[in-house]
Amino acid sequence: MKRSAFILGVIAILSLCLVFASAQQQKPKLKVFISVDMEGIWGVVHGEQVSAGTPEYAAARKWMAWDVNAAIAGALAAGATEVVVNDSHGSMRNIDAGDLDPRATLITGSPKPLSMMQGIDSSFQACLFIGYHAKAGTQDAILDHTISGSVVRFIKVNGAELPELGLNALIAGYYGVPVVLVSGDTAVCRQTAEVLGKDVVTVAVKEAYGRTAAKLVPLAEVRQMIEKGVKDALTNPGRVKPFKLAAPYNFELGYHVSAQADMGAMLLPDLKRPDARTLAFTADDYIEGFKTLRALISLAPAR
Ligand SMILES: [Zn+2]
């Protein structure tokens, strides 16, 4: 009797352990990656505000922390188990590390191998773009440009002209991670729907009148809008498919002037030059192609 009671006790304890372990396993992992640029941050309308060393920069980097902290709050409210933020503008040292929500991890500084997407990998379930902006040549869009305002006229992948949100969403897609939310002005929200589809949540924090003026959403509302948008977007991140294009990847880089295409054409192998201001190449691997693209942009002298 004693022995069978002991065995029954052991079985009971083991089954309790199993129930506890499976309950632990069922807690869904929700790792969220946030790439945060600056031109699409609430309050920002001019290049001087996003350039270190100018009088207005200190205010703009504070606004940047407000927008991203609202996104972190939304992610945690949705059950995020880990949030990684990559500072993605200019020097990539814009967010004062002490201003970031202390529950999130910050990636700061540059250069970084994946630039605005440094830190992403297949362990993440969702990606957010905060403070993003429209592609070069967009009308009524705050500080529209693509990667480098002084170098790039356009970037096409497989024939489609893409904004940074598309180029970076392809990196997320490479790792199987969907971009579920984009914030910025109304123009970048429109381009998000065009490039990534209407299932991606967009949060417009301002509406541009031209390139350097905008009507801002009231400060009392903007943080709640971002927080709610992120929470909604993360409630069912699986409804948005990772953004992918079919390999091989045909990249076309249009420069402002022909002199900017010269160095790349002289130094890099396997390039085509369809016209004086355009270089083109093909890559089987998107990340490899993206790195070649960055090298070509870096080689070009500013206008
Ligand atoms: Zn930027």
Side-chain angles (χ1 to χ4, degrees):
M1 280 300 277
K2 260 189 176 174
R3 191 169 166 177
S4 62
F6 175 74
I7 291 168
L8 278 174
V10 168
I11 290 171
I13 289 166
L14 278 177
S15 8
L16 270 175
C17 287
L18 276 173
V19 167
F20 183 70
S22 66
Q24 285 288 96
Q25 274 173 1
Q26 273 162 16
K27 191 186 175 207
K29 196 176 68 151
L30 180 57
K31 272 183 80 172
V32 178
F33 180 85
I34 304 178
S35 171
V36 53
D37 203 352
M38 206 165 184
E39 290 85 350
I41 291 296
W42 178 89
V44 169
V45 295
H46 196 280
E48 286 182 10
Q49 295 171 309
V50 298
S51 309
T54 63
E56 292 181 75
Y57 175 71
R61 66 194 302 212
K62 188 177 66 191
W63 303 333
M64 191 177 180
W66 289 352
D67 278 14
V68 77
N69 282 345
I72 294 166
L76 293 169
T81 49
E82 190 177 339
V83 181
V84 175
V85 175
N86 182 33
D87 193 324
S88 299
H89 171 77
S91 67
M92 303 189 172
R93 302 193 309 270
N94 307 285
I95 298 170
D96 180 329
D99 286 344
L100 193 78
D101 186 318
R103 296 169 292 181
T105 302
L106 179 64
I107 298 173
T108 180
S110 69
K112 297 177 273 205
L114 289 182
S115 190
M116 301 175 80
M117 295 302 284
Q118 187 61 36
I120 191 120
D121 60 36
S122 54
S123 69
F124 288 86
Q125 278 69 48
C127 175
L128 318 172
F129 292 159
I130 299 296
Y132 266 49
H133 54 81
K135 68 186 174 189
T138 306
Q139 191 180 323
D140 296 333
I142 295 299
L143 300 172
D144 63 303
H145 69 281
T146 307
I147 301 183
S148 168
S150 62
V151 173
V152 177
R153 197 158 51 93
F154 66 79
I155 292 168
K156 290 183 186 174
V157 182
N158 293 0
E161 193 177 322
L162 292 178
E164 290 172 20
L165 75 95
L167 296 164
N168 291 339
L170 284 169
I171 296 179
Y174 180 93
Y175 292 105
V177 184
V179 174
V180 298
L181 176 136
V182 177
S183 79
D185 64 6
T186 48
V188 79
C189 292
R190 207 166 48 238
Q191 278 176 12
T192 298
E194 287 165 12
V195 175
L196 302 182
K198 290 191 165 37
D199 285 340
V200 178
V201 175
T202 56
V203 179
V205 300
K206 54 194 172 186
E207 183 176 3
Y209 307 111
R211 191 170 191 267
T212 52
K215 180 168 73 178
L216 307 179
V217 165
L219 186 55
E221 293 169 29
V222 71
R223 282 183 253 183
Q224 291 93 315
M225 280 170 55
I226 295 173
E227 186 173 337
K228 185 183 179 305
V230 169
K231 200 177 164 198
D232 291 349
L234 290 174
T235 302
N236 181 14
R239 77 186 189 290
V240 182
K241 298 280 160 280
F243 184 49
K244 293 180 188 215
L245 295 175
Y249 304 96
N250 179 38
F251 286 82
E252 291 167 82
L253 169 56
Y255 297 93
H256 291 296
V257 294
S258 61
Q260 294 175 318
D262 286 345
M263 279 281 269
M266 289 173 195
L267 297 181
L268 270 82
D270 301 325
L271 282 174
K272 293 193 173 66
R273 193 168 184 174
D275 62 59
R277 296 191 293 171
T278 308
L279 296 180
F281 62 95
T282 301
D284 292 326
D285 181 279
Y286 180 74
I287 299 281
E288 296 304 315
F290 179 77
K291 289 181 175 178
T292 303
L293 182 75
R294 285 187 64 209
L296 288 172
I297 294 169
S298 302
L299 282 172
R303 257 192 306 175

